[in-house]
Amino acid sequence: MRLQRTGKQLFFNIKALAGFQAVFKLLLFFLLCPLFLGLFSFVMEVSGFPYLTRENIFSFVRHPVTILFLCLMFLLFTAYSIYDAAVVITVLEMSRQKQKAHFFATLLFALDQWIRMLRRPNRRLFLLLLFQFPLFGVGMAASLFATISVPEYVVRYFLNNYVFLGGAAVCLILAVVFLPSRIYSLHFFVIEGVSFQEAQKKSRELSRRSRWMDAGLLILLQAAQVFFYFICIFAGVFLILAFNWCLKEIFRTEVLTATAVWSFLFLIWMIFAALSAPVSCGAVSLLFYYRKRKAGEEILSAAREESGMARVSGRKKKGVAALMAGAVLLSGVFFIQNLQQGVYNLNVEEIRTLEVTAHRGASADYPENTMSAFEGAAELGADWIELDVQQTKDGEIIVLHDTNLKRTTGVNKNTWELTLKEILELDAGSSFDKSFAGEKIPTLAQVIEFAKDREIRLNIELKPSGHEKDFEKTVVDLIMSMGIEDRCVITSQMYRVLERVKEYAPDITTVYVMSLAYGSITSLKAADHFSVNARSVTRTLVDRVHAEGKQLYVWTVNTEKTIARMIELNVDNIITDRITLAKETIYSEKTSGFIQDYTATIYAIFSR
């Protein structure tokens, strides 16, 4: 009954606590994540690892610069977690006193406690929490590894690494021996304002008879979080599949389903991970107040509402709040934009997202290299569109694969024999299906405008016939004048074409298209990346290309077996006619076996 009454008191300032968590978790995600990713890329560059593969990942981790970076990140994250906990403790203490917790006053009071902890007599508390706080995230870490696909070689490395296993065992023993009696140290430090030494002493006294019970309750809390996490996962995936099944008669939902399931798994884990430490800290607060009441001890609170920002005028408070909201919104927009543009797609083979390129658009369902095919590719979720360009008699750039127009339009003429006006009068759809009668051959400018509107990237393959004039220059000028140079690559099967592109515009990204890749292809300096026939792709080739900090595109990948093989080899981009199959296979490879089995079971239920 006492525990229940204490729990009700702690909800007195639940809105203030929720507001703090929302603001700071968003700032953590939108500001610190880009910072971490940017620093990580810098560390890769400084340590001499342009691309991380399974062959060099452990060498990278053991590099002194990497160790320094990881230690720094761990310290920063722990410092943030301690401040987060100080705010939670402060808000709950104000609730116990039935005082309204002002947002800014609470933040400043918690900041004072955080700074006080860094002073010489109290620094050992930081070290204690450095060891204690990761235990609050054990449950969520286990949940993550249970829902994503962890590379087998990573698991095998750690299981066979006796230094790691020994260190983990020592940490576990130390946690069992020392932490239960010191679990309330931060609460005494923040709430009663005592020194670390006094806080540790009081914590040992308060938990003398109940430390193992309290530790057991916190372990049960971790288990409860994991249980609730999986309940949400199962319910969410079920609802997504049920909803998409209801819509399958209206439009194609295959890629939507795969994307939705994976996005939901990522989102729900992020939410639970963000709440895991505050919930654990709140549980410790609940136990702290319960033990104090049971022992008949008075709480000498140092947390007072009138501190700091509480005395600041309402106008200034609103101004600061507006600035914080603006910072969250602006940073969120930039983060999402950069995420969509692949800025944070690190050169690490196990976490880099395998991108899908629609070969000549969605050419399995629409006439190739037409606006219908490109619109279909965007609807199916393709990351890139691959298209071919040629030059007309009057020097215009059109989108067409064959030099001769016979196969796609029925007109036995070559591109250099007709003007743009004459080509635009041709029917490029009827040869595929009568329902596409009247489909026109698009210009490159049309496709670029479409790509900008739909925020999809372009793989522009130059197809010279020998009759062009300033072909490469015309294409590059068009790309740069329309401002899409950072969202496209220029590719060609003729290396001399790429050399001319680089001579004219060194910053344009180029890709060399190769039917056969043998020898030291990375010495071809005019090629920033390589596009290779799937039959020529080997582990050695992928590693060699990645070792030079370059990417490997693979064409044309149309079977599930081949797609799965490319995922296993960790190529960067697959060019395919079957966008849906590629997306589904990639998303399924990201999830663990039991999620795949659960999804398959739900599919089977709806298919009956």
Side-chain angles (χ1 to χ4, degrees):
M1 186 64 71
R2 288 180 181 177
L3 192 62
Q4 184 179 12
R5 185 171 67 251
T6 302
K8 288 181 179 179
Q9 288 180 354
L10 300 186
F11 281 91
F12 185 78
N13 283 309
I14 192 65
K15 290 184 179 179
L17 185 57
F20 167 81
Q21 290 298 321
V23 170
F24 275 76
K25 289 305 187 292
L26 286 173
L27 283 174
L28 175 69
F29 187 75
F30 291 141
L31 295 180
L32 295 189
C33 279
L35 175 64
F36 171 83
L37 296 172
L39 288 175
F40 189 80
S41 296
F42 176 74
V43 168
M44 288 177 60
E45 182 179 349
V46 170
S47 57
F49 291 84
Y51 209 111
L52 298 182
T53 68
R54 66 179 60 184
E55 277 73 24
N56 67 7
I57 183 68
F58 299 115
S59 298
F60 170 75
V61 171
R62 291 192 293 264
H63 194 280
V65 175
T66 307
I67 294 173
L68 179 63
F69 165 74
L70 293 176
C71 290
L72 176 62
M73 289 297 103
F74 183 65
L75 288 173
L76 288 176
F77 183 75
T78 303
Y80 170 85
S81 299
I82 293 172
Y83 180 70
D84 188 5
V87 171
V88 173
I89 292 170
T90 302
V91 172
L92 296 181
E93 171 59 15
M94 300 302 295
S95 296
R96 185 191 67 83
Q97 300 177 38
K98 293 190 177 179
Q99 293 188 21
K100 183 175 177 60
H102 291 280
F103 185 80
F104 293 107
T106 302
L107 300 189
L108 289 178
F109 178 80
L111 182 60
D112 288 341
Q113 305 309 305
W114 189 83
I115 294 173
R116 191 165 67 91
M117 188 185 306
L118 299 181
R119 293 171 185 157
R120 182 169 296 176
N122 301 317
R123 288 174 186 170
R124 284 178 293 170
L125 178 58
F126 185 87
L127 296 176
L128 173 67
L129 297 175
L130 189 71
F131 185 61
Q132 177 179 315
F133 267 62
L135 298 178
F136 287 161
V138 169
M140 290 317 303
S143 300
L144 175 65
F145 292 129
T147 50
I148 67 169
S149 178
V150 181
E152 183 181 351
Y153 76 91
V154 174
V155 177
R156 188 169 56 249
Y157 174 83
F158 285 109
L159 290 179
N160 294 332
N161 189 322
Y162 297 110
V163 174
F164 169 79
L165 293 177
V170 170
C171 289
L172 182 61
I173 293 171
L174 291 175
V176 170
V177 173
F178 290 104
L179 290 185
S181 63
R182 293 165 174 80
I183 199 170
Y184 302 120
S185 297
L186 183 60
H187 287 71
F188 278 110
F189 183 83
V190 172
I191 294 173
E192 298 192 354
V194 300
S195 67
F196 164 66
Q197 187 173 1
E198 184 68 17
Q200 189 174 220
K201 177 182 177 182
K202 288 192 171 190
S203 178
R204 287 199 300 266
E205 291 175 353
L206 183 63
S207 61
R208 181 180 294 114
R209 297 181 179 179
S210 62
R211 59 178 180 173
W212 300 118
M213 180 180 293
D214 291 350
L217 289 173
L218 289 177
I219 292 173
L220 287 176
L221 175 66
Q222 292 289 311
Q225 289 185 45
V226 173
F227 176 77
F228 189 54
Y229 168 80
F230 282 108
I231 291 296
C232 291
I233 290 291
F234 293 144
V237 171
F238 180 85
L239 291 175
I240 290 171
L241 297 180
F243 181 72
N244 288 343
W245 181 82
C246 293
L247 296 179
K248 70 176 183 179
E249 299 299 329
I250 303 176
F251 58 89
R252 301 176 66 169
T253 62
E254 297 93 337
V255 172
L256 177 63
T257 300
T259 306
V261 168
W262 173 251
S263 300
F264 173 75
L265 292 175
F266 176 76
L267 177 63
I268 203 71
W269 186 83
M270 288 296 295
I271 292 173
F272 271 77
L275 295 177
S276 179
V279 168
S280 297
C281 187
V284 175
S285 293
L286 186 65
L287 287 171
F288 173 77
Y289 293 125
Y290 175 71
R291 296 301 178 199
K292 290 286 279 186
R293 278 184 179 153
K294 191 173 181 180
E297 296 181 9
E298 182 183 359
I299 299 175
L300 305 175
S301 179
R304 290 291 183 265
E305 177 272 339
E306 60 269 19
S307 61
M309 197 72 178
R311 297 190 296 270
V312 177
S313 67
R315 179 177 295 180
K316 289 185 178 180
K317 288 181 183 179
K318 291 179 180 179
V320 175
L323 286 175
M324 292 183 67
V328 171
L329 180 62
L330 190 62
S331 58
V333 169
F334 280 118
F335 180 82
I336 293 171
Q337 182 182 22
N338 290 335
L339 188 67
Q340 189 176 34
Q341 293 177 351
V343 173
Y344 304 130
N345 210 358
L346 296 171
N347 288 338
V348 183
E349 65 172 9
E350 292 298 348
I351 64 174
R352 185 175 181 85
T353 303
L354 174 57
E355 296 178 316
V356 175
T357 297
H359 183 230
R360 305 179 196 174
S363 53
D365 303 307
Y366 302 91
E368 67 179 54
N369 280 322
T370 64
M371 294 309 299
S372 293
F374 302 147
E375 289 169 1
E379 290 174 1
L380 291 174
D383 304 298
W384 294 73
I385 291 173
E386 186 270 345
L387 54 96
D388 310 280
V389 296
Q390 302 199 40
Q391 195 173 45
T392 65
K393 181 179 180 179
D394 51 350
E396 299 294 332
I397 306 299
I398 60 170
V399 179
L400 189 70
H401 180 270
D402 299 353
T403 300
N404 191 278
L405 294 155
K406 176 71 173 176
R407 181 175 66 88
T408 55
T409 69
V411 176
N412 190 19
K413 289 284 187 178
N414 296 310
T415 53
W416 70 83
E417 297 175 315
L418 299 176
T419 64
L420 176 62
K421 181 180 179 181
E422 292 170 328
I423 287 176
L424 292 180
E425 293 174 353
L426 303 178
D427 180 357
S430 296
S431 60
F432 182 83
D433 190 278
K434 296 300 181 183
S435 62
F436 293 101
E439 187 78 38
K440 303 301 181 183
I441 294 174
T443 64
L444 178 58
Q446 283 179 278
V447 180
I448 291 176
E449 196 63 45
F450 166 80
K452 290 173 66 177
D453 290 341
R454 299 298 291 269
E455 296 187 339
I456 194 168
R457 286 164 286 177
L458 298 178
N459 178 326
I460 304 170
E461 182 173 351
L462 274 59
K463 293 278 191 180
S465 63
H467 296 269
E468 297 84 8
K469 181 179 180 181
D470 295 329
F471 184 33
E472 296 84 2
K473 181 179 182 299
T474 304
V475 172
V476 170
D477 285 344
L478 182 60
I479 289 171
M480 297 183 72
S481 66
M482 297 188 72
I484 201 175
E485 60 269 22
D486 60 339
R487 293 188 56 77
C488 74
V489 296
I490 290 182
T491 73
S492 181
Q493 296 185 47
M494 299 180 64
Y495 185 68
R496 180 56 188 154
V497 169
L498 301 184
E499 289 182 318
R500 286 194 288 265
V501 169
K502 283 295 188 182
E503 288 169 5
Y504 180 64
D507 294 333
I508 289 287
T509 303
T510 56
V511 180
Y512 188 22
V513 182
M514 312 173 73
S515 298
L516 176 66
Y518 182 78
S520 183
I521 64 172
T522 54
S523 63
L524 301 170
K525 301 304 180 184
D528 295 312
H529 308 301
F530 300 93
S531 182
V532 180
N533 186 292
R535 291 189 296 271
S536 297
V537 178
T538 63
R539 165 62 62 183
T540 301
L541 176 64
V542 175
D543 291 342
R544 184 183 304 142
V545 170
H546 285 174
E548 295 294 325
K550 299 177 183 289
Q551 297 177 18
L552 192 68
Y553 298 52
V554 182
W555 54 273
T556 302
V557 187
N558 286 330
T559 67
E560 184 175 358
K561 181 178 179 180
T562 309
I563 294 170
R565 178 171 170 264
M566 294 303 109
I567 295 172
E568 172 64 24
L569 291 175
N570 289 297
V571 304
D572 301 281
N573 192 310
I574 57 173
I575 302 171
T576 180
D577 298 317
R578 303 182 66 184
I579 304 166
T580 298
L581 176 65
K583 282 285 186 178
E584 285 184 324
T585 306
I586 291 169
Y587 281 118
S588 66
E589 289 288 332
K590 291 182 179 181
T591 56
S592 64
F594 94 87
I595 291 290
Q596 296 177 28
D597 293 340
Y598 176 70
T599 303
T601 301
I602 300 302
Y603 263 130
I605 292 173
F606 286 116
S607 300
R608 290 177 180 174

